[in-house]
Amino acid sequence: MANPVYVAVDWGTSSFRLWLIGKDGSILGERRSGEGMTTAAKTGFADVLASHLAALSVPQNVPVIACGMVGAKQGWVEAGYIDVPASISSILTGAVSVPGQSRDVRILPGLAQRDKASPDVMRGEETQLLGALGPDSRGLQAVCMPGTHSKWVHVQDGEVIGFSTFMTGELFDAISKHTILSHAVASAEEAQADNSAFRAAVSAAFRQPVMASNLLFTARSGQLLHALTAAGAQARISGTLIGLEIAGALFDAPNDTPVTLVASGRLQGLYETAFKFLSLKYTVIDADTAVRRGLSAAAEAIWPN
């Protein structure tokens, strides 16, 4: 194998992604599985990692840099948190070593916001942040990382000044499956997405977030009174929650704050649609690309060539 220099691992709660990186930064091999923290805690983190390294025939002297829930209290080794406000570059120097391993394995820390009024934590997204902006970013920026628990990070001249977690994805799942609105969205997956209903819901929630609970109910009442389709009801729930998230995330931000969207697939499409409709200035970076860049920056800081 041509010049592998380190292994980058994004190890979440339910997912495992590994890339073998060459001296020129190229991807020499890749592995993906559902062996996230929940599974690995039972089967053994070392065994899971070893099986994937063996599948790629990774030499024993090649080190591993990892991020995500593998560094949680319930993970392999607790990597702790860096308290904000803090520079993005501080992530590079906070990695902890996994003891008892014949291979050099390091895990990056998360970020913690210890304000009693708005306590918050992230683990894994800090590496995406590092990869999306780099350690020397300039100006005021908001970074959006959508998901089950969406993260919005505010950065000023390379310093994380604050961040917020929004339970958008989890709320969408719970509302769609475990409330009266589950009847409204039955069979929605079989129909074409209703983009106009989504955009209208985003706008309504963004402009009147105090009405969010009422706006959600209109997915049901609109169906009963105005023949709203199941796809329209689903779009209304999704749009309301995403519009509410954006309104909260940008509540205190200057109107011209640029947004960096770190996403891929369906979520990227939904958030881009929302940003465009709300006339927000934004750029996009693929989520996998961002986490690989962040892990690479950390690897290069720890093991300089």
Side-chain angles (χ1 to χ4, degrees):
M1 184 174 291
N3 296 319
V5 291
Y6 62 89
V7 173
V9 180
D10 180 16
W11 209 332
T13 302
S14 59
S15 64
F16 175 95
R17 297 181 293 178
L18 178 152
W19 299 275
L20 180 61
I21 307 299
K23 191 171 184 178
D24 61 354
S26 61
I27 299 172
L28 302 178
E30 182 175 348
R31 299 280 294 177
R32 293 173 183 259
S33 78
E35 297 164 294
M37 180 191 70
T38 305
T39 298
K42 299 174 183 176
T43 61
F45 288 94
D47 291 341
V48 170
L49 178 60
S51 69
H52 288 283
L53 294 175
L56 294 177
S57 301
V58 180
Q60 188 62 38
N61 65 337
V62 176
V64 175
I65 182 72
C67 70
M69 293 304 291
V70 66
K73 185 175 293 187
Q74 301 81 13
W76 193 357
V77 172
E78 187 174 6
Y81 296 102
I82 293 171
D83 292 351
V84 301
S87 66
I88 297 176
S89 61
S90 63
I91 298 166
L92 297 171
T93 58
V96 301
S97 297
V98 177
Q101 302 301 303
S102 57
R103 186 189 302 271
D104 190 355
V105 181
R106 313 280 184 106
I107 301 175
L108 291 175
L111 294 180
Q113 183 169 275
R114 298 187 187 274
D115 185 336
K116 288 186 177 181
S118 54
D120 218 322
V121 293
M122 71 167 69
R123 192 174 291 283
E125 294 90 356
E126 78 293 322
T127 308
Q128 289 187 329
L129 176 70
L130 174 62
L133 298 186
D136 303 313
S137 67
R138 291 291 175 263
L140 176 65
Q141 300 180 64
V143 180
C144 170
M145 294 173 277
T148 303
H149 297 151
S150 296
K151 305 288 185 181
W152 281 76
V153 187
H154 294 275
V155 179
Q156 175 77 59
D157 294 330
E159 182 176 65
V160 178
I161 56 178
F163 64 93
S164 302
T165 301
F166 296 85
M167 295 176 60
T168 303
E170 187 167 3
L171 285 173
F172 176 80
D173 186 69
I175 290 168
S176 298
K177 294 178 179 177
H178 303 294
T179 72
I180 194 173
L181 300 185
S182 63
H183 304 294
V185 301
S187 75
E189 300 298 337
E190 301 168 12
Q192 185 174 354
D194 190 333
N195 289 327
S196 62
F198 175 78
R199 290 192 296 267
V202 166
S203 178
F206 181 78
R207 302 187 192 294
Q208 291 186 295
V210 294
M211 296 297 293
S213 180
N214 170 258
L215 293 170
L216 286 169
F217 185 74
T218 64
R220 177 65 172 164
S221 55
Q223 200 167 67
L224 293 171
L225 302 177
H226 301 297
L228 182 68
T229 66
Q234 184 183 67
R236 189 167 291 188
I237 296 169
S238 176
T240 298
L241 292 173
I242 290 175
L244 182 65
E245 172 189 319
I246 297 170
L250 298 179
F251 177 72
D252 290 327
N255 291 334
D256 59 348
T257 301
V259 177
T260 298
L261 173 63
V262 182
S264 58
R266 181 172 177 272
L267 283 178
Q268 178 183 335
L270 287 174
Y271 279 74
E272 281 205 74
T273 297
F275 291 164
K276 288 175 183 176
F277 195 67
L278 296 175
S279 300
L280 298 178
K281 183 169 60 176
Y282 73 95
T283 56
V284 181
I285 180 170
D286 176 76
D288 275 7
T289 300
V291 76
R292 282 200 307 271
R293 285 182 184 173
L295 287 165
S296 294
E300 290 163 9
I302 296 168
W303 306 293
N305 292 330

